[in-house]
Amino acid sequence: MKKADVKPFKEMLLVLRARLRGDVSTLADAALSSSGGGRDGSSAVPSHMADMGSDTFEQDNTILLMNNEGETLVQIEGALERIENGVYGSCMECSGKIPKMRLKAIPYTPYCVKCAGELENSQF
Ligand SMILES: [Zn+2]
């Protein structure tokens, strides 16, 4: 795919990534707070992580959602990497071209329609 063709998809991916990360206002924040707050470079590893567990059942749905978003985020990162490598728009499975219509719907998809369908079926 030509660089000029990839550009709108890259922008879509960057917007999606920002949205998933929850930092939609990053640009505005960066512009507003030019004076960085002093972070103390404490390198202590949080040891209380293991304690959070048992009483979080009510949040299961939220966690599930976050996991899915995390997965999408990984997909987006992968797509951005493929853009950098100049292979964006090619199916990772069969190296065929992914139709632009599909990329517009799912800009981070690594597969063409055919392969995505086959991979989905092979899971069951
Ligand atoms: Zn394919």
mmCIF file of all heavy atoms in Angstrom, residues 1-3 5-6 9 82 86-104 106 109-116:
data_model
loop_
_atom_site.group_PDB
_atom_site.id
_atom_site.type_symbol
_atom_site.label_atom_id
_atom_site.label_comp_id
_atom_site.label_asym_id
_atom_site.label_seq_id
_atom_site.Cartn_x
_atom_site.Cartn_y
_atom_site.Cartn_z
ATOM 1 N N MET A 1 0.841 -1.197 0.000
ATOM 2 C CA MET A 1 0.000 0.000 0.000
ATOM 3 C C MET A 1 0.883 1.256 0.000
ATOM 4 O O MET A 1 1.898 1.296 0.681
ATOM 5 C CB MET A 1 -0.887 -0.003 1.253
ATOM 6 C CG MET A 1 -2.175 0.785 1.067
ATOM 7 S SD MET A 1 -3.135 0.857 2.589
ATOM 8 C CE MET A 1 -4.209 -0.553 2.352
ATOM 9 N N LYS A 2 0.470 2.255 -0.741
ATOM 10 C CA LYS A 2 1.257 3.498 -0.802
ATOM 11 C C LYS A 2 1.176 4.258 0.525
ATOM 12 O O LYS A 2 0.179 4.180 1.226
ATOM 13 C CB LYS A 2 0.704 4.407 -1.910
ATOM 14 C CG LYS A 2 1.061 3.948 -3.304
ATOM 15 C CD LYS A 2 0.470 4.951 -4.303
ATOM 16 C CE LYS A 2 -0.097 4.233 -5.511
ATOM 17 N NZ LYS A 2 -1.155 5.011 -6.164
ATOM 18 N N LYS A 3 2.226 5.008 0.809
ATOM 19 C CA LYS A 3 2.256 5.747 2.069
ATOM 20 C C LYS A 3 1.058 6.682 2.201
ATOM 21 O O LYS A 3 0.466 6.814 3.263
ATOM 22 C CB LYS A 3 3.551 6.557 2.174
ATOM 23 C CG LYS A 3 4.672 5.738 2.785
ATOM 24 C CD LYS A 3 5.784 6.643 3.285
ATOM 25 C CE LYS A 3 6.842 5.820 4.018
ATOM 26 N NZ LYS A 3 8.026 6.602 4.356
ATOM 27 N N ASP A 5 -1.796 6.282 0.962
ATOM 28 C CA ASP A 5 -3.005 5.496 1.218
ATOM 29 C C ASP A 5 -3.079 5.039 2.666
ATOM 30 O O ASP A 5 -4.148 4.873 3.235
ATOM 31 C CB ASP A 5 -3.042 4.262 0.308
ATOM 32 C CG ASP A 5 -3.279 4.642 -1.138
ATOM 33 O OD1 ASP A 5 -3.815 5.741 -1.375
ATOM 34 O OD2 ASP A 5 -2.927 3.856 -2.022
ATOM 35 N N VAL A 6 -1.923 4.807 3.246
ATOM 36 C CA VAL A 6 -1.849 4.291 4.611
ATOM 37 C C VAL A 6 -2.160 5.369 5.637
ATOM 38 O O VAL A 6 -2.715 5.104 6.692
ATOM 39 C CB VAL A 6 -0.444 3.689 4.885
ATOM 40 C CG1 VAL A 6 -0.270 3.367 6.340
ATOM 41 C CG2 VAL A 6 -0.232 2.453 4.028
ATOM 42 N N PHE A 9 -5.395 5.555 7.593
ATOM 43 C CA PHE A 9 -5.546 4.409 8.496
ATOM 44 C C PHE A 9 -4.668 4.573 9.728
ATOM 45 O O PHE A 9 -5.054 4.224 10.833
ATOM 46 C CB PHE A 9 -5.201 3.111 7.759
ATOM 47 C CG PHE A 9 -6.177 2.780 6.667
ATOM 48 C CD1 PHE A 9 -5.795 2.821 5.343
ATOM 49 C CD2 PHE A 9 -7.494 2.459 6.972
ATOM 50 C CE1 PHE A 9 -6.700 2.538 4.337
ATOM 51 C CE2 PHE A 9 -8.409 2.167 5.976
ATOM 52 C CZ PHE A 9 -8.012 2.207 4.653
ATOM 53 N N ARG A 82 3.210 -2.605 11.566
ATOM 54 C CA ARG A 82 3.180 -3.034 10.155
ATOM 55 C C ARG A 82 3.248 -1.828 9.233
ATOM 56 O O ARG A 82 3.806 -1.907 8.141
ATOM 57 C CB ARG A 82 1.922 -3.873 9.883
ATOM 58 C CG ARG A 82 1.964 -5.239 10.540
ATOM 59 C CD ARG A 82 0.943 -6.187 9.943
ATOM 60 N NE ARG A 82 -0.429 -5.786 10.195
ATOM 61 C CZ ARG A 82 -1.051 -5.938 11.357
ATOM 62 N NH1 ARG A 82 -0.447 -6.493 12.375
ATOM 63 N NH2 ARG A 82 -2.295 -5.548 11.507
ATOM 64 N N GLY A 86 6.051 -1.105 6.479
ATOM 65 C CA GLY A 86 5.591 -1.034 5.101
ATOM 66 C C GLY A 86 4.818 -2.249 4.624
ATOM 67 O O GLY A 86 4.707 -2.492 3.430
ATOM 68 N N VAL A 87 4.292 -3.035 5.574
ATOM 69 C CA VAL A 87 3.533 -4.225 5.173
ATOM 70 C C VAL A 87 2.057 -4.107 5.546
ATOM 71 O O VAL A 87 1.303 -5.068 5.433
ATOM 72 C CB VAL A 87 4.117 -5.521 5.800
ATOM 73 C CG1 VAL A 87 5.509 -5.766 5.272
ATOM 74 C CG2 VAL A 87 4.122 -5.446 7.316
ATOM 75 N N TYR A 88 1.658 -2.909 5.981
ATOM 76 C CA TYR A 88 0.262 -2.712 6.366
ATOM 77 C C TYR A 88 -0.654 -2.912 5.162
ATOM 78 O O TYR A 88 -0.337 -2.466 4.058
ATOM 79 C CB TYR A 88 0.073 -1.312 6.935
ATOM 80 C CG TYR A 88 -1.347 -1.021 7.368
ATOM 81 C CD1 TYR A 88 -1.845 -1.568 8.533
ATOM 82 C CD2 TYR A 88 -2.165 -0.211 6.609
ATOM 83 C CE1 TYR A 88 -3.140 -1.321 8.940
ATOM 84 C CE2 TYR A 88 -3.467 0.050 7.007
ATOM 85 C CZ TYR A 88 -3.947 -0.502 8.179
ATOM 86 O OH TYR A 88 -5.236 -0.257 8.563
ATOM 87 N N GLY A 89 -1.774 -3.588 5.385
ATOM 88 C CA GLY A 89 -2.714 -3.820 4.293
ATOM 89 C C GLY A 89 -2.526 -5.171 3.641
ATOM 90 O O GLY A 89 -3.294 -5.552 2.768
ATOM 91 N N SER A 90 -1.486 -5.892 4.087
ATOM 92 C CA SER A 90 -1.274 -7.245 3.585
ATOM 93 C C SER A 90 -1.675 -8.239 4.667
ATOM 94 O O SER A 90 -1.394 -8.033 5.841
ATOM 95 C CB SER A 90 0.193 -7.467 3.218
ATOM 96 O OG SER A 90 0.565 -6.600 2.184
ATOM 97 N N CYS A 91 -2.318 -9.315 4.247
ATOM 98 C CA CYS A 91 -2.759 -10.340 5.176
ATOM 99 C C CYS A 91 -1.548 -11.055 5.768
ATOM 100 O O CYS A 91 -0.642 -11.454 5.041
ATOM 101 C CB CYS A 91 -3.664 -11.333 4.459
ATOM 102 S SG CYS A 91 -4.171 -12.713 5.491
ATOM 103 N N MET A 92 -1.538 -11.200 7.098
ATOM 104 C CA MET A 92 -0.417 -11.859 7.772
ATOM 105 C C MET A 92 -0.408 -13.360 7.501
ATOM 106 O O MET A 92 0.579 -14.039 7.737
ATOM 107 C CB MET A 92 -0.521 -11.638 9.294
ATOM 108 C CG MET A 92 -0.456 -10.201 9.724
ATOM 109 S SD MET A 92 1.144 -9.449 9.443
ATOM 110 C CE MET A 92 2.040 -10.146 10.819
ATOM 111 N N GLU A 93 -1.533 -13.869 7.034
ATOM 112 C CA GLU A 93 -1.653 -15.312 6.831
ATOM 113 C C GLU A 93 -1.293 -15.697 5.396
ATOM 114 O O GLU A 93 -0.459 -16.559 5.168
ATOM 115 C CB GLU A 93 -3.089 -15.746 7.160
ATOM 116 C CG GLU A 93 -3.310 -17.243 7.161
ATOM 117 C CD GLU A 93 -2.647 -17.935 8.351
ATOM 118 O OE1 GLU A 93 -2.219 -17.237 9.292
ATOM 119 O OE2 GLU A 93 -2.538 -19.174 8.319
ATOM 120 N N CYS A 94 -1.908 -15.043 4.416
ATOM 121 C CA CYS A 94 -1.718 -15.457 3.022
ATOM 122 C C CYS A 94 -0.985 -14.386 2.204
ATOM 123 O O CYS A 94 -0.761 -14.573 1.014
ATOM 124 C CB CYS A 94 -3.063 -15.790 2.376
ATOM 125 S SG CYS A 94 -4.090 -14.332 2.109
ATOM 126 N N SER A 95 -0.594 -13.282 2.859
ATOM 127 C CA SER A 95 0.103 -12.175 2.188
ATOM 128 C C SER A 95 -0.740 -11.513 1.102
ATOM 129 O O SER A 95 -0.226 -10.707 0.327
ATOM 130 C CB SER A 95 1.422 -12.642 1.570
ATOM 131 O OG SER A 95 2.150 -13.397 2.490
ATOM 132 N N GLY A 96 -2.011 -11.861 1.063
ATOM 133 C CA GLY A 96 -2.909 -11.226 0.105
ATOM 134 C C GLY A 96 -3.272 -9.827 0.553
ATOM 135 O O GLY A 96 -3.014 -9.439 1.689
ATOM 136 N N LYS A 97 -3.844 -9.056 -0.358
ATOM 137 C CA LYS A 97 -4.241 -7.696 -0.011
ATOM 138 C C LYS A 97 -5.523 -7.703 0.802
ATOM 139 O O LYS A 97 -6.470 -8.403 0.483
ATOM 140 C CB LYS A 97 -4.472 -6.887 -1.293
ATOM 141 C CG LYS A 97 -3.237 -6.172 -1.778
ATOM 142 C CD LYS A 97 -3.636 -5.119 -2.807
ATOM 143 C CE LYS A 97 -2.409 -4.340 -3.266
ATOM 144 N NZ LYS A 97 -2.756 -3.363 -4.313
ATOM 145 N N ILE A 98 -5.529 -6.910 1.857
ATOM 146 C CA ILE A 98 -6.752 -6.744 2.633
ATOM 147 C C ILE A 98 -7.527 -5.596 1.997
ATOM 148 O O ILE A 98 -6.978 -4.503 1.828
ATOM 149 C CB ILE A 98 -6.444 -6.422 4.109
ATOM 150 C CG1 ILE A 98 -5.578 -7.522 4.720
ATOM 151 C CG2 ILE A 98 -7.724 -6.241 4.896
ATOM 152 C CD1 ILE A 98 -5.085 -7.204 6.126
ATOM 153 N N PRO A 99 -8.790 -5.839 1.612
ATOM 154 C CA PRO A 99 -9.575 -4.777 0.971
ATOM 155 C C PRO A 99 -9.692 -3.541 1.854
ATOM 156 O O PRO A 99 -9.806 -3.653 3.073
ATOM 157 C CB PRO A 99 -10.953 -5.423 0.782
ATOM 158 C CG PRO A 99 -10.725 -6.884 0.885
ATOM 159 C CD PRO A 99 -9.540 -7.076 1.779
ATOM 160 N N LYS A 100 -9.642 -2.363 1.228
ATOM 161 C CA LYS A 100 -9.719 -1.114 1.988
ATOM 162 C C LYS A 100 -11.020 -1.003 2.767
ATOM 163 O O LYS A 100 -11.049 -0.443 3.863
ATOM 164 C CB LYS A 100 -9.594 0.081 1.042
ATOM 165 C CG LYS A 100 -8.144 0.438 0.773
ATOM 166 C CD LYS A 100 -8.033 1.778 0.085
ATOM 167 C CE LYS A 100 -6.605 1.999 -0.369
ATOM 168 N NZ LYS A 100 -6.489 3.209 -1.202
ATOM 169 N N MET A 101 -12.078 -1.552 2.197
ATOM 170 C CA MET A 101 -13.359 -1.517 2.893
ATOM 171 C C MET A 101 -13.239 -2.187 4.258
ATOM 172 O O MET A 101 -13.797 -1.731 5.249
ATOM 173 C CB MET A 101 -14.435 -2.245 2.070
ATOM 174 C CG MET A 101 -14.989 -1.458 0.899
ATOM 175 S SD MET A 101 -15.775 0.082 1.433
ATOM 176 C CE MET A 101 -17.228 -0.603 2.244
ATOM 177 N N ARG A 102 -12.500 -3.284 4.275
ATOM 178 C CA ARG A 102 -12.313 -4.033 5.528
ATOM 179 C C ARG A 102 -11.433 -3.237 6.492
ATOM 180 O O ARG A 102 -11.694 -3.184 7.686
ATOM 181 C CB ARG A 102 -11.679 -5.384 5.219
ATOM 182 C CG ARG A 102 -11.325 -6.206 6.448
ATOM 183 C CD ARG A 102 -11.063 -7.647 6.080
ATOM 184 N NE ARG A 102 -10.491 -8.418 7.178
ATOM 185 C CZ ARG A 102 -11.183 -8.873 8.220
ATOM 186 N NH1 ARG A 102 -12.461 -8.637 8.280
ATOM 187 N NH2 ARG A 102 -10.603 -9.560 9.173
ATOM 188 N N LEU A 103 -10.408 -2.614 5.955
ATOM 189 C CA LEU A 103 -9.502 -1.830 6.806
ATOM 190 C C LEU A 103 -10.224 -0.625 7.399
ATOM 191 O O LEU A 103 -9.921 -0.188 8.506
ATOM 192 C CB LEU A 103 -8.287 -1.376 6.001
ATOM 193 C CG LEU A 103 -7.301 -2.490 5.633
ATOM 194 C CD1 LEU A 103 -6.242 -1.960 4.687
ATOM 195 C CD2 LEU A 103 -6.647 -3.079 6.868
ATOM 196 N N LYS A 104 -11.185 -0.103 6.627
ATOM 197 C CA LYS A 104 -11.934 1.046 7.147
ATOM 198 C C LYS A 104 -12.806 0.618 8.317
ATOM 199 O O LYS A 104 -13.024 1.379 9.255
ATOM 200 C CB LYS A 104 -12.818 1.649 6.047
ATOM 201 C CG LYS A 104 -12.058 2.670 5.218
ATOM 202 C CD LYS A 104 -12.927 3.243 4.117
ATOM 203 C CE LYS A 104 -12.072 4.079 3.179
ATOM 204 N NZ LYS A 104 -12.753 4.349 1.908
ATOM 205 N N ILE A 106 -12.222 -2.265 10.243
ATOM 206 C CA ILE A 106 -11.331 -2.748 11.310
ATOM 207 C C ILE A 106 -9.899 -2.416 10.909
ATOM 208 O O ILE A 106 -9.184 -3.252 10.373
ATOM 209 C CB ILE A 106 -11.454 -4.276 11.499
ATOM 210 C CG1 ILE A 106 -12.898 -4.739 11.357
ATOM 211 C CG2 ILE A 106 -10.876 -4.694 12.855
ATOM 212 C CD1 ILE A 106 -13.054 -6.245 11.266
ATOM 213 N N THR A 109 -6.973 -4.904 11.698
ATOM 214 C CA THR A 109 -7.020 -6.331 11.378
ATOM 215 C C THR A 109 -5.756 -6.777 10.634
ATOM 216 O O THR A 109 -5.295 -6.095 9.720
ATOM 217 C CB THR A 109 -8.261 -6.691 10.538
ATOM 218 O OG1 THR A 109 -8.284 -8.109 10.367
ATOM 219 C CG2 THR A 109 -8.243 -6.023 9.166
ATOM 220 N N PRO A 110 -5.167 -7.896 11.058
ATOM 221 C CA PRO A 110 -3.978 -8.396 10.357
ATOM 222 C C PRO A 110 -4.327 -9.384 9.242
ATOM 223 O O PRO A 110 -3.437 -9.858 8.544
ATOM 224 C CB PRO A 110 -3.191 -9.096 11.463
ATOM 225 C CG PRO A 110 -4.196 -9.462 12.504
ATOM 226 C CD PRO A 110 -5.426 -8.625 12.301
ATOM 227 N N TYR A 111 -5.623 -9.709 9.087
ATOM 228 C CA TYR A 111 -5.999 -10.745 8.134
ATOM 229 C C TYR A 111 -7.035 -10.270 7.126
ATOM 230 O O TYR A 111 -7.831 -9.386 7.408
ATOM 231 C CB TYR A 111 -6.576 -11.962 8.875
ATOM 232 C CG TYR A 111 -5.659 -12.534 9.903
ATOM 233 C CD1 TYR A 111 -6.013 -12.535 11.244
ATOM 234 C CD2 TYR A 111 -4.426 -13.059 9.539
ATOM 235 C CE1 TYR A 111 -5.166 -13.055 12.211
ATOM 236 C CE2 TYR A 111 -3.574 -13.587 10.496
ATOM 237 C CZ TYR A 111 -3.944 -13.576 11.820
ATOM 238 O OH TYR A 111 -3.104 -14.077 12.769
ATOM 239 N N CYS A 112 -7.029 -10.905 5.956
ATOM 240 C CA CYS A 112 -8.074 -10.662 4.977
ATOM 241 C C CYS A 112 -9.342 -11.383 5.443
ATOM 242 O O CYS A 112 -9.297 -12.182 6.381
ATOM 243 C CB CYS A 112 -7.644 -11.144 3.593
ATOM 244 S SG CYS A 112 -7.486 -12.931 3.446
ATOM 245 N N VAL A 113 -10.444 -11.101 4.773
ATOM 246 C CA VAL A 113 -11.726 -11.663 5.199
ATOM 247 C C VAL A 113 -11.669 -13.193 5.230
ATOM 248 O O VAL A 113 -12.117 -13.826 6.186
ATOM 249 C CB VAL A 113 -12.852 -11.224 4.240
ATOM 250 C CG1 VAL A 113 -14.196 -11.739 4.731
ATOM 251 C CG2 VAL A 113 -12.892 -9.710 4.136
ATOM 252 N N LYS A 114 -11.090 -13.765 4.189
ATOM 253 C CA LYS A 114 -11.047 -15.215 4.043
ATOM 254 C C LYS A 114 -10.278 -15.856 5.200
ATOM 255 O O LYS A 114 -10.763 -16.775 5.850
ATOM 256 C CB LYS A 114 -10.376 -15.552 2.704
ATOM 257 C CG LYS A 114 -10.400 -17.011 2.340
ATOM 258 C CD LYS A 114 -9.869 -17.183 0.906
ATOM 259 C CE LYS A 114 -9.317 -18.580 0.689
ATOM 260 N NZ LYS A 114 -7.970 -18.782 1.227
ATOM 261 N N CYS A 115 -9.079 -15.354 5.453
ATOM 262 C CA CYS A 115 -8.239 -15.935 6.507
ATOM 263 C C CYS A 115 -8.852 -15.711 7.880
ATOM 264 O O CYS A 115 -8.798 -16.594 8.734
ATOM 265 C CB CYS A 115 -6.839 -15.351 6.453
ATOM 266 S SG CYS A 115 -5.935 -15.864 4.988
ATOM 267 N N ALA A 116 -9.411 -14.529 8.111
ATOM 268 C CA ALA A 116 -10.042 -14.246 9.394
ATOM 269 C C ALA A 116 -11.154 -15.255 9.646
ATOM 270 O O ALA A 116 -11.298 -15.782 10.748
ATOM 271 C CB ALA A 116 -10.594 -12.833 9.422
#
